[in-house]
Amino acid sequence: MEFSAEAKASILVDALPYIQNFYGETIVIKYGGNAMINDDLKNKVMHDLVLMKYVGIRPIIVHGGGPDITSFLEKVGKTSTFVNGLRVTDRETAQIAEMVLVGKINSEIVSRLNSLNLKAVGLSGKDANLIVASKKYAAVKNADNTITNTDIGFVGEVKNINTALLYDLLDQNYVPVISPIGIGEDGNSYNINADYVAAEIAGAMSAKKMLLLTDIEGIYRDYNDKSTFISTLSKKEAEAMIADGSINGGMIPKVEACLRSLEKGAGKTSIIDGRQAHSLILELFTSQGIGTEVVHSN
Amino acid sequence: MEFSAEAKASILVDALPYIQNFYGETIVIKYGGNAMINDDLKNKVMHDLVLMKYVGIRPIIVHGGGPDITSFLEKVGKTSTFVNGLRVTDRETAQIAEMVLVGKINSEIVSRLNSLNLKAVGLSGKDANLIVASKKYAAVKNADNTITNTDIGFVGEVKNINTALLYDLLDQNYVPVISPIGIGEDGNSYNINADYVAAEIAGAMSAKKMLLLTDIEGIYRDYNDKSTFISTLSKKEAEAMIADGSINGGMIPKVEACLRSLEKGAGKTSIIDGRQAHSLILELFTSQGIGTEVVHSN
Amino acid sequence: MEFSAEAKASILVDALPYIQNFYGETIVIKYGGNAMINDDLKNKVMHDLVLMKYVGIRPIIVHGGGPDITSFLEKVGKTSTFVNGLRVTDRETAQIAEMVLVGKINSEIVSRLNSLNLKAVGLSGKDANLIVASKKYAAVKNADNTITNTDIGFVGEVKNINTALLYDLLDQNYVPVISPIGIGEDGNSYNINADYVAAEIAGAMSAKKMLLLTDIEGIYRDYNDKSTFISTLSKKEAEAMIADGSINGGMIPKVEACLRSLEKGAGKTSIIDGRQAHSLILELFTSQGIGTEVVHSN
Amino acid sequence: MEFSAEAKASILVDALPYIQNFYGETIVIKYGGNAMINDDLKNKVMHDLVLMKYVGIRPIIVHGGGPDITSFLEKVGKTSTFVNGLRVTDRETAQIAEMVLVGKINSEIVSRLNSLNLKAVGLSGKDANLIVASKKYAAVKNADNTITNTDIGFVGEVKNINTALLYDLLDQNYVPVISPIGIGEDGNSYNINADYVAAEIAGAMSAKKMLLLTDIEGIYRDYNDKSTFISTLSKKEAEAMIADGSINGGMIPKVEACLRSLEKGAGKTSIIDGRQAHSLILELFTSQGIGTEVVHSN
Amino acid sequence: MEFSAEAKASILVDALPYIQNFYGETIVIKYGGNAMINDDLKNKVMHDLVLMKYVGIRPIIVHGGGPDITSFLEKVGKTSTFVNGLRVTDRETAQIAEMVLVGKINSEIVSRLNSLNLKAVGLSGKDANLIVASKKYAAVKNADNTITNTDIGFVGEVKNINTALLYDLLDQNYVPVISPIGIGEDGNSYNINADYVAAEIAGAMSAKKMLLLTDIEGIYRDYNDKSTFISTLSKKEAEAMIADGSINGGMIPKVEACLRSLEKGAGKTSIIDGRQAHSLILELFTSQGIGTEVVHSN
Amino acid sequence: MEFSAEAKASILVDALPYIQNFYGETIVIKYGGNAMINDDLKNKVMHDLVLMKYVGIRPIIVHGGGPDITSFLEKVGKTSTFVNGLRVTDRETAQIAEMVLVGKINSEIVSRLNSLNLKAVGLSGKDANLIVASKKYAAVKNADNTITNTDIGFVGEVKNINTALLYDLLDQNYVPVISPIGIGEDGNSYNINADYVAAEIAGAMSAKKMLLLTDIEGIYRDYNDKSTFISTLSKKEAEAMIADGSINGGMIPKVEACLRSLEKGAGKTSIIDGRQAHSLILELFTSQGIGTEVVHSN
């Protein structure tokens, strides 16, 4: 479709109030799912990030692992067992995951952004102790309904974010791209869920917004009735919907990451559909927005 | 006309290379003509300027006088005489022109921009001796074809631009709005043609581009044949077209202002049609561009 | 009168403690009255301001309107009506006042100061929204002694001072010269009494001193007895003298401006006689001082 | 062995002239060989680097690959072919090498240094386009003694070093740890010999010294006669010894890296024996030094 | 004794945790006693100070008077009387003491340090009013056990430390060397005990440590039993030992200086034996330490 | 004599062009002679210096020795011999001179200035190696008219000025007061003629002016005819007058110091009469000026 010059100009000007709103602000993007697999989507996300930077936003990207880790474990003949859906991560598994995250996925994002004239810098949580992790146990429910905290290896959760390196880089106009690897106080590397890493970083940096790129449209009041799509959800409402089971399954950790980010200091959070082309731009710079915002209060 | 979210997003992203090109650069805009009279156009120019600022451009606005000066002179019962098309400007006329330019036109532009959350600051050439002027004489052709330089009062030309105030303001994110009044070394105020003021300031500031907002489409090789519109003109070509008379009449000073600006240090110049809505955005951020660029070389 | 070199040297050195006292401090000067009309006085005020700047003071000048506004209204055949002594200011009147203040009076002060090698910059309250105004009503006393707030058009009072532009200019060694025009939140321009503008700016800038240049010697305890001249008046005393009527007539707004300035943060205020040559220097740098100081307490 | 307090103090003070010599200077260390394999040596290198930082040196570490790459290629069942001793590097091999270098070796160095209270940050040549690479061909000698430049895949050489990121990090007291991966102008990753990367970075940063940690004592005039060990070698002498074959085999690229570094701007270079405990400290801070210095001239 | 290179390297690395502990910290050294007389010790103190500076410490030196003052007074035929062990200091005595301290002792320290490539700057308490003094009286016990405060002339105690000059110099990497002369509010110079000057400066600068170089090993619980040497003493313990007389004689003012320094803001204090070669380095950078630390609490 | 307020004000304003001329400039004052002995003159010089600082000048004071050195040498029973009018300066003499200069004279100037609210800091040429000296020999004319360079001990001349400390102090608004002691590359202290020290410092600092306070009115073309007083002398003229003997005796070194200062970079120099009250102010801030200026050219 071709647009008239006038149409283009007016669309650019219509974006102005949104641009002004985010000018100079930090936004944390969790990049994952389809948008990290499909080459056309990948390309569009990169352009979206560059545009964000050029209209005055300070973006921080946290990426997930995608299918590469699994395929690499297979390649070296490593089979995984799972507890409560969490992969039991022995030292070798942890090492391979780190290599894939830092040496392949992060590296590719960085070089794509740099080819578009950003100054992207890849980081893991080990750099200047950016992400301090503690060991996470799987809470396994026993037959008698008691809970046993089960050791599943080098899986961690965020204990602390050391923000100095991020401020130093942002102030010099670099764009940080972060792998979700934490450094334990025991000196070990820990794999951490990327949604939570993004949430904690957005909180610690007092980000104006955290955006979780997912493979769903957002949250429905009733998942089977598309007309019940929710544009904005308060913390209180989200907590109630988790409690009454209307938010469930894989959606729970996404919403919990949003809640955590708000608690730690983020301004707003959004779960958006990364399968949609230019989803970041749509969410930030158009009146429609997309996805579901989880906010402090309505 | 309503656009889909996807259309909007892709138009925004298409603007990216243009935004990158002008990022951090100074652009001088001569604001005048219809775009300063028609209220809808006025409003759109203001939004264009705000957008330019938010995508990283450092805009400087130089405005002209428009019909306000003439109507004010009439109001006080002052009639003007003209020599070679230049208004003979006695002290009272000069004073009234300055009052209209500085106290009415400049003032209105500043408050409109500020209402859109820019930090605009109105200046005249007297502030910190920004524009040093020298007296300009009208070159009157006598019957015997000799030229007499005729005194026409307080009409000036730019002798020197003191750029320090502009750099100080731009570095603090202010947007300067400049009235074309110069200060003579004799202490008198001089009215100066705004196109030339814009040209000299763009040169002195090494602006990436100077944009002259006019009431014409641009330059035609043959004015009667609309198919001969010229998108880009080199200095050499422009000089040739003035010499052979294909650029003539009121277009000569516009083109001369462009040539002067290039000589003094501007990167590019454009004569654009201010009657077109969002002409600044169209020229800067779309592939079509509008108007005629006058550049160092093709 | 000619002085010996020794006399000159000792007078310069005697000024030292006063110079030390004001070094690095902001002083706001309300410039108006005779000192703005008489050409010799004008010239001396300019030299006083330059000297103040060179001995380390950061001066800010707020000027009034003087007779120029009235004479210009006459010139365009505009007659004014008054309510409670306040000019009813329709849009055209407001526009002409702004043109005279900004485009003539301010402009002349700026160029005079610059010719003496200061870096003066003219401002109105619209620049970077320096002076935010709200509409002021005339309090008309009815026959039954009730008060009616009467709309007198575009007459304003100071709602807020945005000091950032002043700090940015002072820190770069510019001297701001300010016209008493405010910008309303409704987007309209408002004329404001210059004494009050000076008072509010002195307060907002925590000025060491505000100086009101007037056409009177200062305050007398008994106006008919010249021996009752008051050199220093505390806030409390001034309030009492207004309450008991010993300060009255045109002196009331002067003293109220001083009181307002002290409340908003100024260190001291002075009402001085601008008809006296070099009144600013006398007040600041000699043991005699001149005029009446209004201070927080004795 | 236990030392008296006096002995300790005097050794510390004896180091003073060496410390003064390197104070505030950049030193580039190529870390590789045994010092990267033996755990005790590893540990000592880390302490050496921390000491260097704390006595005012700005260290930059470039690491090599070691045996990890080969063992990982084996693990995924990838066999390598070699041309002229250079591994033919297809896309998968390049990817695995990058993962091992960036996601394992670099990552381990960074976390070891951070555990000793440095602020180490891992980088690859892709970060902010630090190392721009061009494709390197193997010069294969044909039967008829002609040379064919043979494509061996994603093996590169340094085309350009973008130093800005390094200066920004050093100025904020970070310690950069760099993997020898370059980014091609074609967007591909290239593996580069780490000695050359260290050499080019030392040159581009005008390093006071480049240190190549190797598994040899240094250079002998006659390798079979230990008494012919060379402490210092001028550029000219080194070139002569390569030409006459007295430097040969695996020593050639080491010495060529030194020569290249000197040409590009490094002050001095040293080939030192990483098998010796605390070799960095010995070389820098004691009168003995170790290894062979290659310098501009004697 | 000659050490192997390995021994040297390991001793340097062993100092690392101590170096890290003091990095960037201010340390105040009272320099006096034998270390200021014996030429070999003098030389070693100078080297110790240079080393301290180069490993990131910000040293401030306060020196005492030593025997030079007495010998100079003798040379000009001036005999002294003493009250309570304090020299009665008339104006001439005070002047001679100042000349010796500032013009001889301080000057010599400064030039020795500068010859070792420090940037030392000599100061007295008069420079920028660094040390403001008040008159100190000798408390003379009368026959009836009452106390008479006896005037002993220009002997002072510290009233206030103006730290700005020290911060300005330290921030520019200068090393201040301070003579214990204070300036009274009466304009007179006062001699002050150098231990107390060091104590007050260490407190005012929040020094990490104050070191008093003395001619004793430190504090013994029982002076006659060398086995009762005390390495660390809390404030509370020190106060108790003064009260019960186990600290007595010339040791009292040393310990009181330590206590005063802790109260005013120093982190730790140490009384060390300046007769020991390299005592500063031993105390700061080795596990043994020397002397007695007086600290806030154990 | 009492002056009217108006007279005072006009004198202050008359100083304005002089104040503007020196604003922000460095001026070096050689302080010596009567102005350093007579208490009233002393006091007036101090006030002059403070005034200079407060009107924006960056003063640097270099003081001479005056009679104090001689009287102190006498006090310790030291008799001096002279060669060519230069005191033979053995180590003890040099030490005493340094003590008097640094510990008495400098110290008194510093405390007087500080009591007037300047931030004066005393320096000798040893501080941060400010004045590097070389040994000066007396050129003794032998009977046969040959010259023998005779060793007269620790008398020096300026070899180099290290300006960094002066810039650091001036930029922080300190006023340096400098004793004419140099540090030799041999580590010895050297006494240097203060006029030459002032000259070299003024040159090295590119001072706008050097002022030599002396006990003469200035230079006469014919010393016996007071009407031949010279206000301004060019370098060329001064050199000619030395050559032809019209400048002779004690005036030669004064004029040579001026010439040296001009050569090394000072703008202007003046020999002024320190016996005149407020001579500095008279010279700098009045139309009369005093003394003789020696300048590059007329």
PDB file of all heavy atoms in Angstrom, chain D residues 30 193 195-196 210 212-216 249-259 269 271 294:
ATOM      1  N   LYS D  30      47.723  -9.916  26.144  1.00  0.00           N
ATOM      2  CA  LYS D  30      47.164 -11.085  25.455  1.00  0.00           C
ATOM      3  C   LYS D  30      47.283 -12.251  26.415  1.00  0.00           C
ATOM      4  O   LYS D  30      48.379 -12.649  26.781  1.00  0.00           O
ATOM      5  CB  LYS D  30      47.956 -11.357  24.180  1.00  0.00           C
ATOM      6  CG  LYS D  30      47.906 -12.813  23.682  1.00  0.00           C
ATOM      7  CD  LYS D  30      46.525 -13.317  23.300  1.00  0.00           C
ATOM      8  CE  LYS D  30      46.471 -14.847  23.294  1.00  0.00           C
ATOM      9  NZ  LYS D  30      47.494 -15.530  22.533  1.00  0.00           N
ATOM     10  N   ASN D 193      43.011 -14.192  15.011  1.00  0.00           N
ATOM     11  CA  ASN D 193      44.095 -14.570  15.906  1.00  0.00           C
ATOM     12  C   ASN D 193      44.220 -13.542  17.027  1.00  0.00           C
ATOM     13  O   ASN D 193      44.313 -12.346  16.785  1.00  0.00           O
ATOM     14  CB  ASN D 193      45.396 -14.616  15.063  1.00  0.00           C
ATOM     15  CG  ASN D 193      46.601 -14.919  15.922  1.00  0.00           C
ATOM     16  OD1 ASN D 193      46.969 -14.122  16.779  1.00  0.00           O
ATOM     17  ND2 ASN D 193      47.211 -16.073  15.692  1.00  0.00           N
ATOM     18  N   ASP D 195      46.556 -12.845  19.194  1.00  0.00           N
ATOM     19  CA  ASP D 195      47.795 -12.055  19.276  1.00  0.00           C
ATOM     20  C   ASP D 195      47.673 -10.788  18.423  1.00  0.00           C
ATOM     21  O   ASP D 195      48.066  -9.699  18.836  1.00  0.00           O
ATOM     22  CB  ASP D 195      49.000 -12.870  18.764  1.00  0.00           C
ATOM     23  CG  ASP D 195      49.329 -14.042  19.685  1.00  0.00           C
ATOM     24  OD1 ASP D 195      48.968 -13.989  20.883  1.00  0.00           O
ATOM     25  OD2 ASP D 195      49.950 -15.010  19.196  1.00  0.00           O
ATOM     26  N   TYR D 196      47.107 -10.953  17.239  1.00  0.00           N
ATOM     27  CA  TYR D 196      46.977  -9.800  16.351  1.00  0.00           C
ATOM     28  C   TYR D 196      45.936  -8.807  16.870  1.00  0.00           C
ATOM     29  O   TYR D 196      46.094  -7.598  16.731  1.00  0.00           O
ATOM     30  CB  TYR D 196      46.629 -10.252  14.933  1.00  0.00           C
ATOM     31  CG  TYR D 196      47.837 -10.816  14.216  1.00  0.00           C
ATOM     32  CD1 TYR D 196      48.013 -12.196  14.061  1.00  0.00           C
ATOM     33  CD2 TYR D 196      48.812  -9.957  13.716  1.00  0.00           C
ATOM     34  CE1 TYR D 196      49.131 -12.705  13.420  1.00  0.00           C
ATOM     35  CE2 TYR D 196      49.944 -10.469  13.075  1.00  0.00           C
ATOM     36  CZ  TYR D 196      50.095 -11.837  12.929  1.00  0.00           C
ATOM     37  OH  TYR D 196      51.198 -12.325  12.298  1.00  0.00           O
ATOM     38  N   MET D 210      52.447  -3.728  25.248  1.00  0.00           N
ATOM     39  CA  MET D 210      51.627  -4.905  25.004  1.00  0.00           C
ATOM     40  C   MET D 210      52.393  -6.111  25.509  1.00  0.00           C
ATOM     41  O   MET D 210      53.578  -6.265  25.232  1.00  0.00           O
ATOM     42  CB  MET D 210      51.342  -5.105  23.521  1.00  0.00           C
ATOM     43  CG  MET D 210      50.598  -6.435  23.293  1.00  0.00           C
ATOM     44  SD  MET D 210      50.305  -6.878  21.568  1.00  0.00           S
ATOM     45  CE  MET D 210      51.977  -7.229  21.018  1.00  0.00           C
ATOM     46  N   LEU D 212      52.477 -10.249  25.521  1.00  0.00           N
ATOM     47  CA  LEU D 212      51.947 -11.509  25.006  1.00  0.00           C
ATOM     48  C   LEU D 212      52.326 -12.627  25.960  1.00  0.00           C
ATOM     49  O   LEU D 212      53.497 -12.967  26.089  1.00  0.00           O
ATOM     50  CB  LEU D 212      52.533 -11.831  23.623  1.00  0.00           C
ATOM     51  CG  LEU D 212      52.196 -10.926  22.446  1.00  0.00           C
ATOM     52  CD1 LEU D 212      52.786 -11.517  21.150  1.00  0.00           C
ATOM     53  CD2 LEU D 212      50.687 -10.773  22.280  1.00  0.00           C
ATOM     54  N   LEU D 213      51.337 -13.185  26.651  1.00  0.00           N
ATOM     55  CA  LEU D 213      51.591 -14.334  27.532  1.00  0.00           C
ATOM     56  C   LEU D 213      51.687 -15.590  26.676  1.00  0.00           C
ATOM     57  O   LEU D 213      50.710 -15.981  26.032  1.00  0.00           O
ATOM     58  CB  LEU D 213      50.445 -14.496  28.534  1.00  0.00           C
ATOM     59  CG  LEU D 213      50.517 -13.685  29.818  1.00  0.00           C
ATOM     60  CD1 LEU D 213      49.341 -14.075  30.718  1.00  0.00           C
ATOM     61  CD2 LEU D 213      51.825 -13.961  30.570  1.00  0.00           C
ATOM     62  N   THR D 214      52.848 -16.231  26.673  1.00  0.00           N
ATOM     63  CA  THR D 214      53.031 -17.409  25.816  1.00  0.00           C
ATOM     64  C   THR D 214      53.531 -18.595  26.651  1.00  0.00           C
ATOM     65  O   THR D 214      53.642 -18.497  27.869  1.00  0.00           O
ATOM     66  CB  THR D 214      54.083 -17.122  24.730  1.00  0.00           C
ATOM     67  OG1 THR D 214      55.333 -16.899  25.396  1.00  0.00           O
ATOM     68  CG2 THR D 214      53.723 -15.889  23.921  1.00  0.00           C
ATOM     69  N   ASP D 215      53.835 -19.687  25.971  1.00  0.00           N
ATOM     70  CA  ASP D 215      54.370 -20.863  26.658  1.00  0.00           C
ATOM     71  C   ASP D 215      55.850 -21.071  26.358  1.00  0.00           C
ATOM     72  O   ASP D 215      56.350 -22.204  26.342  1.00  0.00           O
ATOM     73  CB  ASP D 215      53.550 -22.113  26.276  1.00  0.00           C
ATOM     74  CG  ASP D 215      52.159 -22.060  26.867  1.00  0.00           C
ATOM     75  OD1 ASP D 215      51.927 -21.216  27.770  1.00  0.00           O
ATOM     76  OD2 ASP D 215      51.294 -22.831  26.432  1.00  0.00           O
ATOM     77  N   ILE D 216      56.543 -19.986  26.088  1.00  0.00           N
ATOM     78  CA  ILE D 216      57.994 -20.065  25.860  1.00  0.00           C
ATOM     79  C   ILE D 216      58.685 -18.993  26.691  1.00  0.00           C
ATOM     80  O   ILE D 216      58.048 -18.025  27.125  1.00  0.00           O
ATOM     81  CB  ILE D 216      58.340 -19.804  24.370  1.00  0.00           C
ATOM     82  CG1 ILE D 216      57.572 -18.546  23.905  1.00  0.00           C
ATOM     83  CG2 ILE D 216      58.012 -21.015  23.517  1.00  0.00           C
ATOM     84  CD1 ILE D 216      57.995 -18.066  22.581  1.00  0.00           C
ATOM     85  N   GLY D 249      59.023 -20.652  12.606  1.00  0.00           N
ATOM     86  CA  GLY D 249      57.940 -21.483  13.139  1.00  0.00           C
ATOM     87  C   GLY D 249      56.899 -20.657  13.847  1.00  0.00           C
ATOM     88  O   GLY D 249      56.538 -19.547  13.418  1.00  0.00           O
ATOM     89  N   GLY D 250      56.442 -21.180  14.974  1.00  0.00           N
ATOM     90  CA  GLY D 250      55.344 -20.536  15.724  1.00  0.00           C
ATOM     91  C   GLY D 250      55.749 -19.203  16.315  1.00  0.00           C
ATOM     92  O   GLY D 250      54.886 -18.435  16.766  1.00  0.00           O
ATOM     93  N   MET D 251      57.058 -18.950  16.335  1.00  0.00           N
ATOM     94  CA  MET D 251      57.490 -17.674  16.893  1.00  0.00           C
ATOM     95  C   MET D 251      57.246 -16.518  15.933  1.00  0.00           C
ATOM     96  O   MET D 251      57.094 -15.374  16.371  1.00  0.00           O
ATOM     97  CB  MET D 251      58.985 -17.772  17.242  1.00  0.00           C
ATOM     98  CG  MET D 251      59.499 -16.622  18.072  1.00  0.00           C
ATOM     99  SD  MET D 251      58.467 -16.306  19.520  1.00  0.00           S
ATOM    100  CE  MET D 251      59.440 -17.083  20.811  1.00  0.00           C
ATOM    101  N   ILE D 252      57.195 -16.835  14.640  1.00  0.00           N
ATOM    102  CA  ILE D 252      57.015 -15.754  13.666  1.00  0.00           C
ATOM    103  C   ILE D 252      55.757 -14.921  13.928  1.00  0.00           C
ATOM    104  O   ILE D 252      55.836 -13.703  14.049  1.00  0.00           O
ATOM    105  CB  ILE D 252      57.030 -16.303  12.217  1.00  0.00           C
ATOM    106  CG1 ILE D 252      58.460 -16.772  11.871  1.00  0.00           C
ATOM    107  CG2 ILE D 252      56.563 -15.233  11.221  1.00  0.00           C
ATOM    108  CD1 ILE D 252      58.611 -17.313  10.472  1.00  0.00           C
ATOM    109  N   PRO D 253      54.571 -15.551  14.040  1.00  0.00           N
ATOM    110  CA  PRO D 253      53.396 -14.701  14.249  1.00  0.00           C
ATOM    111  C   PRO D 253      53.460 -13.905  15.557  1.00  0.00           C
ATOM    112  O   PRO D 253      52.948 -12.778  15.613  1.00  0.00           O
ATOM    113  CB  PRO D 253      52.212 -15.682  14.270  1.00  0.00           C
ATOM    114  CG  PRO D 253      52.799 -17.045  14.309  1.00  0.00           C
ATOM    115  CD  PRO D 253      54.206 -16.968  13.836  1.00  0.00           C
ATOM    116  N   LYS D 254      54.078 -14.440  16.586  1.00  0.00           N
ATOM    117  CA  LYS D 254      54.229 -13.690  17.847  1.00  0.00           C
ATOM    118  C   LYS D 254      55.024 -12.412  17.601  1.00  0.00           C
ATOM    119  O   LYS D 254      54.632 -11.317  18.025  1.00  0.00           O
ATOM    120  CB  LYS D 254      54.961 -14.525  18.909  1.00  0.00           C
ATOM    121  CG  LYS D 254      54.298 -15.831  19.282  1.00  0.00           C
ATOM    122  CD  LYS D 254      53.172 -15.635  20.275  1.00  0.00           C
ATOM    123  CE  LYS D 254      52.384 -16.929  20.493  1.00  0.00           C
ATOM    124  NZ  LYS D 254      51.059 -16.673  21.065  1.00  0.00           N
ATOM    125  N   VAL D 255      56.173 -12.606  16.950  1.00  0.00           N
ATOM    126  CA  VAL D 255      57.041 -11.446  16.722  1.00  0.00           C
ATOM    127  C   VAL D 255      56.374 -10.472  15.745  1.00  0.00           C
ATOM    128  O   VAL D 255      56.431  -9.257  15.924  1.00  0.00           O
ATOM    129  CB  VAL D 255      58.425 -11.896  16.216  1.00  0.00           C
ATOM    130  CG1 VAL D 255      59.294 -10.687  15.870  1.00  0.00           C
ATOM    131  CG2 VAL D 255      59.120 -12.753  17.281  1.00  0.00           C
ATOM    132  N   GLU D 256      55.692 -11.028  14.732  1.00  0.00           N
ATOM    133  CA  GLU D 256      54.994 -10.134  13.805  1.00  0.00           C
ATOM    134  C   GLU D 256      53.901  -9.332  14.506  1.00  0.00           C
ATOM    135  O   GLU D 256      53.675  -8.156  14.184  1.00  0.00           O
ATOM    136  CB  GLU D 256      54.387 -10.934  12.647  1.00  0.00           C
ATOM    137  CG  GLU D 256      55.442 -11.269  11.606  1.00  0.00           C
ATOM    138  CD  GLU D 256      54.860 -11.991  10.398  1.00  0.00           C
ATOM    139  OE1 GLU D 256      53.681 -12.431  10.493  1.00  0.00           O
ATOM    140  OE2 GLU D 256      55.569 -12.130   9.389  1.00  0.00           O
ATOM    141  N   ALA D 257      53.230  -9.954  15.465  1.00  0.00           N
ATOM    142  CA  ALA D 257      52.216  -9.211  16.223  1.00  0.00           C
ATOM    143  C   ALA D 257      52.881  -8.050  16.954  1.00  0.00           C
ATOM    144  O   ALA D 257      52.370  -6.933  16.985  1.00  0.00           O
ATOM    145  CB  ALA D 257      51.494 -10.137  17.201  1.00  0.00           C
ATOM    146  N   CYS D 258      54.052  -8.319  17.554  1.00  0.00           N
ATOM    147  CA  CYS D 258      54.785  -7.247  18.246  1.00  0.00           C
ATOM    148  C   CYS D 258      55.134  -6.115  17.275  1.00  0.00           C
ATOM    149  O   CYS D 258      54.933  -4.936  17.579  1.00  0.00           O
ATOM    150  CB  CYS D 258      56.063  -7.789  18.873  1.00  0.00           C
ATOM    151  SG  CYS D 258      55.751  -8.868  20.289  1.00  0.00           S
ATOM    152  N   LEU D 259      55.645  -6.476  16.119  1.00  0.00           N
ATOM    153  CA  LEU D 259      56.060  -5.457  15.151  1.00  0.00           C
ATOM    154  C   LEU D 259      54.866  -4.618  14.695  1.00  0.00           C
ATOM    155  O   LEU D 259      54.935  -3.392  14.608  1.00  0.00           O
ATOM    156  CB  LEU D 259      56.740  -6.121  13.949  1.00  0.00           C
ATOM    157  CG  LEU D 259      58.055  -6.826  14.275  1.00  0.00           C
ATOM    158  CD1 LEU D 259      58.578  -7.598  13.056  1.00  0.00           C
ATOM    159  CD2 LEU D 259      59.104  -5.815  14.750  1.00  0.00           C
ATOM    160  N   THR D 269      56.625  -3.751  23.407  1.00  0.00           N
ATOM    161  CA  THR D 269      55.913  -5.027  23.431  1.00  0.00           C
ATOM    162  C   THR D 269      56.813  -6.044  24.112  1.00  0.00           C
ATOM    163  O   THR D 269      58.033  -5.884  24.130  1.00  0.00           O
ATOM    164  CB  THR D 269      55.582  -5.519  22.010  1.00  0.00           C
ATOM    165  OG1 THR D 269      56.829  -5.765  21.335  1.00  0.00           O
ATOM    166  CG2 THR D 269      54.796  -4.481  21.228  1.00  0.00           C
ATOM    167  N   ILE D 271      57.215 -10.438  24.800  1.00  0.00           N
ATOM    168  CA  ILE D 271      56.788 -11.839  24.740  1.00  0.00           C
ATOM    169  C   ILE D 271      57.250 -12.472  26.036  1.00  0.00           C
ATOM    170  O   ILE D 271      58.451 -12.535  26.306  1.00  0.00           O
ATOM    171  CB  ILE D 271      57.432 -12.542  23.527  1.00  0.00           C
ATOM    172  CG1 ILE D 271      56.903 -11.902  22.240  1.00  0.00           C
ATOM    173  CG2 ILE D 271      57.165 -14.031  23.565  1.00  0.00           C
ATOM    174  CD1 ILE D 271      57.662 -12.312  20.990  1.00  0.00           C
ATOM    175  N   VAL D 294      60.300  -6.486  22.529  1.00  0.00           N
ATOM    176  CA  VAL D 294      60.533  -6.014  21.163  1.00  0.00           C
ATOM    177  C   VAL D 294      60.156  -4.541  21.148  1.00  0.00           C
ATOM    178  O   VAL D 294      59.024  -4.182  21.490  1.00  0.00           O
ATOM    179  CB  VAL D 294      59.713  -6.797  20.126  1.00  0.00           C
ATOM    180  CG1 VAL D 294      60.071  -6.355  18.713  1.00  0.00           C
ATOM    181  CG2 VAL D 294      59.938  -8.297  20.306  1.00  0.00           C
TER     182      VAL D 294
END
